[in-house]
Amino acid sequence: MGVLNVTADSFSDGGRHLAYADAVAHARRMVAYGADLIDVGGESTRPGSIRVDEADEQRRVLPLVRELRSEGVAVSVDTMRARVARSALADGATIINDVSGGLADPDMLRVVADHGAPVILMHWVSPDDYRAGAGGRVDYGGDVVGSVRDHLARRADAAIAAGIDASDIVLDPGLGFAKNSDDNWALLCGLDQLIDLGFPVLVAASRKRFIGSLLHGGDGVPREVSGRDAATAAITAISAAAGAWGVRVHDVAPSADAVRVASAWTAGKAGTS
């Protein structure tokens, strides 16, 4: 799942693909490198970000959806707004990726259900918590995996109650959203518990701060964003081998290779069992 941020302030590549032509070119490169799905987002959710106007979000996202679908590219749209989702689905978007898990907009789940579309539901605490970043980390009662698992199960139940088919639900543990480094690593180690819910699981770790913190220099300063792709690919390999449905990444080529390695390794294990 290749990340296409058409924003001015995303933590990794804000502003680099804001222009339409640049965004289309980058999407085409990601597809050529092995992306199965392009995730288009017109609003940053980085810590400290300010929500964009709905009209601006639609202006950024919808032309790209139309162009990429005309080229046969599968597109997900990263939005928390039901009206943006409705327009994107009408223009051919394949999946809606809602980081709020359908909580930010009460109409979101119904809109997705009306279109018979798949949805990605991320673990969400509250807008204040996730936008606060590390400072917004909440108390998970000593069991972040269990807490996130229970929350996602409830969101899946809500989606089904709204009319979304269970087979169209993907869950995302929300790495980096109101979670510290220990929380994030615990969730990655506990992927099997999330997968056991019976829904596909998306891992979105790419270039996030907890990776930078792991790779800090001797001064303790997190490694810069541009130096986190190799570690991201390592997480991709581990996630794929663990049975994740997909990974959401900025640098597609190394993660596509990592998926191939994980697939071969898993097949090799099966062949020797």
Side-chain angles (χ1 to χ4, degrees), residues 25-41:
H26 185 55
R28 289 170 178 160
R29 284 194 297 271
M30 289 193 288
V31 171
Y33 291 150
D36 300 296
L37 185 68
I38 300 299
D39 190 46
V40 180

Side-chain angles (χ1 to χ4, degrees), residues 5 39-43 57 76-80 97-99 248:
N5 289 321
D39 190 46
V40 180
E43 178 180 39
E57 186 182 357
S76 60
V77 171
D78 182 353
T79 184
M80 295 183 286
N97 178 16
D98 184 351
V99 301
R248 181 180 183 274

Side-chain angles (χ1 to χ4, degrees), residues 11 36 42 90 106 114 125 147 151 166 172 188 217 222 260 267:
F11 82 94
D36 300 296
D114 288 347
V125 182
S147 179
H151 176 98
D172 176 351
L188 286 170
R260 296 186 185 99

Side-chain angles (χ1 to χ4, degrees), residues 109 113 155-164 169:
L109 297 180
R155 297 317 301 152
D157 287 344
I160 292 168
I164 299 173
I169 297 171

Side-chain angles (χ1 to χ4, degrees), residues 48-138:
S49 61
I50 298 173
R51 298 211 69 180
V52 301
D53 182 77
E54 181 178 310
D56 285 340
E57 186 182 357
Q58 297 220 35
R59 176 181 54 78
R60 294 173 178 182
V61 168
L62 298 182
L64 290 170
V65 173
R66 290 190 289 267
E67 175 59 31
L68 295 176
R69 290 302 294 134
S70 74
E71 298 180 13
V73 177
V75 178
S76 60
V77 171
D78 182 353
T79 184
M80 295 183 286
R81 290 186 168 110
R83 285 186 290 192
V84 175
R86 180 186 293 113
S87 297
L89 290 167
D91 283 347
T94 308
I95 302 176
I96 295 301
N97 178 16
D98 184 351
V99 301
S100 81
L103 289 170
D105 188 327
D107 293 329
M108 177 64 86
L109 297 180
R110 179 182 54 79
V111 165
V112 174
D114 288 347
H115 283 82
V119 64
I120 299 169
L121 303 173
M122 195 190 83
H123 174 262
W124 160 281
V125 182
S126 76
D128 291 338
D129 285 331
Y130 89 76
R131 289 185 186 277
R137 194 271 189 190
V138 300

